[in-house]
Amino acid sequence: MGLKIWLDGTLVDEADAKISVFDHGLLYGDGVFEGIRVYHQRIFEEEAHIDRLYESAHAIRLTIPMDKAQLIEAMRETVAANEVGNGYIRLVISRGVGTLGLNPFVCHHPMVIIIASKIQLYPEELYEKGMKIISASTVRNHPQALPPQIKSLNYLNNILAKIEALDSNVMEAIMYNHEGYVAEATGDNVFVVRRGVINTPPVSAGSLEGITRNVVIKLAREEGLSVEEKNLTRFDLYTSEEFFLTGTAAEVIGIVDIDGRIIGDGQPGPITKLLRKKFFEYAQGN
Ligand code: PXG
């Protein structure tokens, strides 16, 4: 039996969950989305994800045809219908059916799609040993072209960097902005420890304001660790004491090698491990 998918106001069988070839989400990548974890039947940081979705939609002049409370209710219904205990929700708002032309205002019926399913996880071994990554040559979208804060259905910028990673037999790549500063990974935010201080690029460097990022910053400060938002160079990454990525899928994962430069002693460091543990506890109890 397939999944039950929320599509345009109701739950339908996976086999019937189809959208038009004239949907501008498909034709132009015109739409926004969220990826959200479910831990023990509870939707992780529900409000923060919903707020970010509505901000992304607002920024592209897309009106979500439900209010926040209705959308949360639809998400919960979809999670329950699929008996998702620990898993993942993909929330997609596409511009809807239009004509062959960019004009978004001919699309009068945005599509709300909710998929509640399992999540693709990295192998456990990667968390223990740490991950090897590369620097991508693909520059992160210029904030004045397509603000990386909009979680849009246009992921080609990130996909091009992901291809570079996969071609190098690693799973992730760091993307730098047009000024050469670290922006983020293809689907994760970046943190390093330098001289005992945790540094992460400011959102203005060209990253999505990760929900996991914000939780990890909060947890680190609660542990008495100092966290500073700061522009980071490739050199800063190479010479970091610890390096980790945060994101909905990865949670907190240590990086031990970038472009052949070994980080620290080649294993996930103590702060990385502590924050991974604290994040796990927070997620389980949240
Ligand atoms: N940057 C980008 C570009 C992302 O897409 C993050 C940072 C981390 O944000 P959160 O809010 O998740 O901490 C993301 C999130 C997937 C997938 O299927 C991607 C994300 C989230 C969930 C699933 O590849 N990206």
Side-chain angles (χ1 to χ4, degrees):
M1 222 190 65
L3 296 173
K4 293 278 184 199
I5 310 290
W6 182 279
L7 180 67
D8 196 24
T10 52
L11 283 168
V12 299
D13 287 332
E14 181 180 328
D16 301 320
K18 292 175 179 164
I19 62 155
S20 166
V21 294
F22 291 100
D23 192 303
H24 279 208
L26 173 69
L27 290 175
Y28 301 112
D30 187 352
V32 295
F33 78 104
E34 277 296 321
I36 313 172
R37 278 281 191 128
V38 179
Y39 295 102
H40 302 307
Q41 281 92 258
R42 284 217 211 62
I43 298 170
F44 185 68
E45 298 292 295
E46 187 174 65
E47 212 178 291
H49 278 287
I50 292 295
D51 288 348
R52 187 171 69 183
L53 181 77
Y54 277 78
E55 283 186 5
S56 289
H58 185 72
I60 68 163
R61 299 271 301 269
L62 173 61
T63 305
I64 299 176
M66 302 166 90
D67 65 26
K68 288 184 182 181
Q70 288 169 325
L71 192 54
I72 286 174
E73 192 43 45
M75 253 192 336
R76 290 180 183 172
E77 237 180 86
T78 311
V79 166
N82 293 284
E83 294 173 13
V84 174
N86 289 290
Y88 178 69
I89 303 168
R90 170 64 57 92
L91 197 48
V92 181
I93 319 288
S94 78
R95 186 74 72 176
V97 169
T99 48
L100 294 177
L102 294 178
N103 186 355
F105 302 130
V106 299
C107 309
H108 298 294
H109 192 99
M111 278 287 161
V112 177
I113 301 164
I114 309 173
I115 306 167
S117 183
K118 290 198 214 41
I119 185 159
Q120 282 298 117
L121 298 174
Y122 287 135
E124 188 55 35
E125 199 197 44
L126 267 190
Y127 288 98
E128 282 151 29
K129 295 191 174 163
M131 192 160 71
K132 185 175 154 67
I133 59 172
I134 59 153
S135 292
S137 64
T138 304
V139 171
R140 187 75 179 105
N141 281 332
H142 193 297
Q144 289 181 47
L146 180 60
Q149 282 154 283
I150 300 173
K151 199 164 168 63
S152 87
L153 294 180
N154 267 284
Y155 255 55
L156 273 178
N157 183 224
N158 311 58
I159 289 166
L160 291 177
K162 184 81 170 184
I163 287 170
E164 292 186 58
L166 297 175
D167 278 346
S168 304
N169 294 311
V170 297
M171 315 279 278
E172 259 299 349
I174 298 299
M175 303 184 76
Y176 298 84
N177 67 21
H178 58 288
E179 291 175 318
Y181 291 114
V182 176
E184 59 184 339
T186 68
D188 298 292
N189 291 108
V190 172
F191 287 81
V192 291
V193 179
R194 303 192 84 247
R195 305 195 174 105
V197 176
I198 301 171
N199 291 147
T200 190
V203 172
S204 59
S207 60
L208 182 73
E209 188 172 348
I211 309 287
T212 318
R213 169 191 189 273
N214 290 350
V215 167
V216 166
I217 291 173
K218 190 181 77 174
L219 295 174
R221 288 184 175 148
E222 280 172 14
E223 289 304 302
L225 298 164
S226 44
V227 184
E228 283 172 19
E229 293 191 18
K230 198 179 137 196
N231 272 322
L232 298 171
T233 64
R234 187 180 297 218
F235 176 84
D236 294 332
L237 301 184
Y238 287 174
T239 58
S240 61
E241 292 139 31
E242 294 189 37
F243 187 167
F244 58 93
L245 303 179
T246 68
T248 290
E251 299 175 316
V252 178
I253 189 162
I255 303 303
V256 293
D257 182 322
I258 176 166
D259 303 334
R261 277 73 169 182
I262 307 297
I263 305 302
D265 64 1
Q267 293 178 47
I271 292 176
T272 304
K273 283 189 187 153
L274 173 71
L275 292 175
R276 176 160 175 73
K277 178 165 161 278
K278 289 288 160 195
F279 183 82
F280 184 79
E281 289 168 5
Y282 179 80
Q284 300 303 311
N286 190 52

